[in-house]
Amino acid sequence: GAVVSQHPSRVICKSGTSVKIECRSLDFQATTMFWYRQFPKKSLMLMATSNEGSKATYEQGVEKDKFLINHASLTLSTLTVTSAHPEDSSFYICSANPTSGRFHEQFFGPGTRLTVL
Amino acid sequence: QQQVKQSPQSLIVQKGGIPIINCAYENTAFDYFPWYQQFPGKGPALLIAIRPDVSEKKEGRFTISFNKSAKQFSLHIMDSQPGDSATYFCAASIGTGANNLFFGTGTRLTVIP
């Protein structure tokens, strides 16, 4: 149990386009999902906390207009990178915390590698 | 500011050796300390976690040692195997792992056959 999927696993896009990344909790409901960014051989940096039915909470330095987060249901959160530029190229990872309260953990997705040309 | 400091950056051990990865934190409000294992191109997976009311926790070949007064904790991998080759991250949070996790910088472990 507690499986989190991400789609797509990798995406290549041209500079100036927008890219949407989906994060789904497959076998549980998640009131809270988290979005992280990871540069090569670096640590995970929390970008934002996504709560179902409300606005996401962004970490300091993360542009909310550039990284749009929507958490429309208890099993799906999306991250849209708007007007992507090469510096947005990175590994984006989501995580989800089960609503049931049985698990007090974050379960991570497999990540999405974004390359902006 | 890096809330959790991790060392070493990389580590190479022979099969059967016991790699040790160390982490230190400053925020005394942290009360949940998990370790994650990440393989290339994959998301992190929880290995083992500890709370500050115990000084050691073992799960299989993985052991966490915790020193509350020194604000340090470490991961020991017993009888390491080539399949343990991965990047290991320590982390800390307040309350539970369901809250904001502050990750260390990671340690790339290579276990030589």
Side-chain angles (χ1 to χ4, degrees):
Chain A
V3 178
V4 177
S5 71
Q6 281 184 242
H7 177 80
S9 58
R10 56 178 61 201
V11 57
I12 301 173
C13 70
K14 292 183 178 180
S15 185
T17 61
S18 294
V19 174
K20 179 184 285 189
I21 303 170
E22 292 186 349
C23 176
R24 292 182 185 273
S25 54
L26 298 185
D27 50 1
F28 64 96
Q29 293 184 326
T31 304
T32 303
M33 290 184 172
F34 301 85
W35 286 95
Y36 294 84
R37 183 173 181 177
Q38 186 178 32
F39 291 102
K41 300 182 181 180
K42 298 293 183 183
S43 188
L44 287 79
M45 299 301 295
L46 180 66
M47 297 175 65
T49 303
S50 165
N51 292 296
E52 187 265 339
S54 63
K55 291 184 178 180
T57 302
Y58 290 82
E59 294 300 301
Q60 191 174 10
V62 177
E63 298 177 60
K64 59 181 67 176
D65 294 331
K66 180 163 188 65
F67 298 100
L68 301 179
I69 292 173
N70 184 282
H71 192 156
S73 78
L74 287 173
T75 59
L76 173 65
S77 177
T78 60
L79 167 69
T80 301
V81 183
T82 62
S83 186
H85 287 91
E87 58 265 30
D88 298 324
S89 298
S90 191
F91 194 52
Y92 293 88
I93 305 174
C94 72
S95 70
N97 170 241
T99 303
S100 68
R102 177 186 163 202
F103 298 103
H104 300 288
E105 306 294 344
Q106 291 182 35
F107 294 93
F108 286 82
T112 296
R113 182 159 307 281
L114 170 64
T115 303
V116 185
L117 303 176
Chain B
Q1 183 185 3
Q2 191 70 36
Q3 297 238 18
V4 180
K5 297 181 179 179
Q6 183 173 347
S7 64
Q9 188 173 15
S10 62
L11 190 53
I12 301 174
V13 299
Q14 295 255 327
K15 178 183 173 182
I18 306 175
I20 300 173
I21 305 170
N22 300 298
C23 286
Y25 63 98
E26 286 297 326
N27 189 346
T28 55
F30 288 146
D31 59 359
Y32 178 78
F33 304 91
W35 284 89
Y36 289 86
Q37 180 188 56
Q38 185 180 30
F39 292 103
K42 303 294 183 183
L46 179 67
L47 262 182
I48 185 173
I50 197 169
R51 293 197 180 276
D53 53 345
V54 296
S55 60
E56 186 177 278
K57 183 175 181 180
K58 291 183 180 180
E59 284 188 8
R61 295 185 293 110
F62 301 95
T63 299
I64 299 179
S65 297
F66 187 84
N67 185 329
K68 186 175 180 178
S69 61
K71 292 185 285 186
Q72 295 175 347
F73 58 110
S74 60
L75 176 70
H76 302 230
I77 305 176
M78 306 301 177
D79 187 28
S80 58
Q81 301 296 314
D84 295 330
S85 298
T87 299
Y88 292 81
F89 292 95
C90 61
S93 69
I94 300 171
T96 74
N99 298 329
N100 289 10
L101 283 166
F102 294 90
F103 282 87
T105 48
T107 297
R108 183 180 290 263
L109 172 65
T110 302
V111 181
I112 301 171

